[in-house]
Amino acid sequence: MTRKPEPEVVPRPLTPVELELMHIVWRLGEVSVADVLAALPPERALAYTSVSTVLRILEQKGVVESRKQGRGHLYSAVLPRDAYEAQSVRHLVETVFDGTPSALVARLVEAVPLSASEVDQLRELLDAKGRKP
Amino acid sequence: MTRKPEPEVVPRPLTPVELELMHIVWRLGEVSVADVLAALPPERALAYTSVSTVLRILEQKGVVESRKQGRGHLYSAVLPRDAYEAQSVRHLVETVFDGTPSALVARLVEAVPLSASEVDQLRELLDAKGRKP
DNA sequence: GATTTAGAACTAAGCCCTTAGTAGTTTGCG
DNA sequence: CGCAAACTACTAAGGGCTTAGTTCTAAATC
């Protein structure tokens, strides 16, 4: 009935709000609560305390770290965006595509509209990969 | 404070247990609670009532439907696996990769070990895509 | 037809997520 | 120094997820 405390093979994705704030942290580097608040789109009016709470949760999860600065704290990412992207893709391959990466890409090119230039870009990526395995 | 009831642009992913059961439903087609229970790996000993509850939640969400059969119910997928895969990829592109599909693939080929044959497969997918846009 | 049994519905407990208020502390300013 | 503003920690409420027990009903068996 209780959650298994074993370290997860593929870490659990960030929750929607956590991810929303992390995008800001990744973009700005080192941020105060006020910075995050200011960076949110106008229609997304979170309370100061809500942002503060989520940042504290993220710190508790080890996703960001903070250092004291003047009156408040400055938060910065411990988990780089690259790493989270990689983690997310792995998680999706694992849980939805039976661990088969090509199945994901197959579905992607079929289900998501791709511009010609994007297709070209992908081809280049594969060529680079194919030449030095 | 309450969740906005607007229809989501990209539907929320299934929860871990829901997805776990859906894999079984997709594989077996039309299943009873007992079927699902039997299809679970031995180390995954869910109670009958737990499976029943999750299937009922899935039905409530419109992901499966049921018809009465003798003593119990038979559940079958309303949401095909294809569609869910597409939905999941779109969701990931949207929330993690800024809506840029090629960024996802770039991260994939970098972060997930791909066999040479998988790389070839991907190339073929792209060729097929490139020829008829 | 009565009893056993299989299943569904209801319920609940524990946990996490989201949002935010309140209270208390620290800092900067006059 | 004292006050106002900013900031943090604590707390809470509402909702969803996970797991499962209990209870009630319907079906199968004798």
Side-chain angles (χ1 to χ4, degrees):
Chain A
M1 187 95 65
T2 46
R3 178 153 307 285
K4 55 182 167 200
E6 307 153 19
E8 312 178 65
V9 191
V10 176
R12 192 177 303 279
L14 297 174
T15 68
V17 186
E18 286 168 357
L19 182 55
E20 188 183 4
L21 298 202
M22 282 312 294
H23 276 303
I24 296 173
V25 175
W26 284 322
R27 180 150 44 83
L28 301 185
E30 203 179 30
V31 295
S32 65
V33 175
D35 292 336
V36 172
L37 213 41
L40 284 170
E43 70 272 16
R44 181 71 166 130
L46 279 180
Y48 181 99
T49 50
S50 303
V51 174
S52 167
T53 300
V54 174
L55 284 175
R56 213 163 336 108
I57 291 173
L58 283 167
E59 182 170 24
Q60 194 184 295
K61 290 187 179 181
V63 179
V64 304
E65 64 188 1
S66 71
R67 65 185 181 89
K68 221 161 242 144
Q69 203 261 357
R71 38 193 174 279
H73 287 160
L74 289 184
Y75 295 88
S76 51
V78 169
L79 179 68
R81 179 162 178 176
D82 297 15
Y84 183 69
E85 289 181 357
Q87 193 174 293
S88 303
V89 178
R90 270 187 238 113
H91 186 266
L92 190 67
V93 169
E94 222 48 53
T95 58
V96 175
F97 292 96
D98 281 343
T100 309
S102 57
L104 190 162
V105 179
R107 193 60 69 202
L108 179 81
V109 302
E110 169 193 305
V112 179
L114 291 175
S115 67
S117 74
E118 279 207 297
V119 174
D120 286 347
Q121 242 176 297
L122 296 188
R123 221 186 308 263
E124 277 170 41
L125 279 172
L126 289 186
D127 289 347
K129 188 74 182 174
R131 274 199 299 277
K132 33 160 186 166
Chain B
M1 190 92 67
T2 45
R3 179 151 306 286
K4 55 183 167 201
E6 308 153 17
E8 312 179 65
V9 192
V10 175
R12 192 177 303 278
L14 298 174
T15 68
V17 184
E18 287 169 356
L19 182 55
E20 187 182 5
L21 297 201
M22 282 312 294
H23 276 302
I24 296 172
V25 175
W26 284 323
R27 181 150 43 85
L28 301 185
E30 202 178 33
V31 296
S32 65
V33 175
D35 292 336
V36 173
L37 212 41
L40 283 170
E43 70 273 16
R44 181 71 167 131
L46 279 180
Y48 181 98
T49 50
S50 303
V51 174
S52 168
T53 299
V54 175
L55 284 175
R56 211 159 343 104
I57 291 173
L58 283 167
E59 182 171 22
Q60 193 184 296
K61 291 187 178 180
V63 179
V64 304
E65 65 188 1
S66 71
R67 64 184 182 89
K68 220 161 242 144
Q69 202 260 358
R71 41 199 173 277
H73 286 160
L74 289 184
Y75 296 88
S76 50
V78 169
L79 178 67
R81 179 161 178 176
D82 297 15
Y84 183 69
E85 289 181 356
Q87 193 173 293
S88 304
V89 178
R90 267 186 242 113
H91 187 266
L92 190 67
V93 169
E94 222 49 52
T95 58
V96 176
F97 293 95
D98 281 342
T100 309
S102 56
L104 189 163
V105 179
R107 194 61 68 204
L108 178 81
V109 303
E110 168 193 304
V112 179
L114 291 175
S115 66
S117 74
E118 279 206 299
V119 174
D120 287 347
Q121 242 177 296
L122 296 188
R123 225 186 306 261
E124 277 168 43
L125 280 171
L126 287 187
D127 289 347
K129 189 70 182 177
R131 274 197 301 275
K132 33 162 185 167

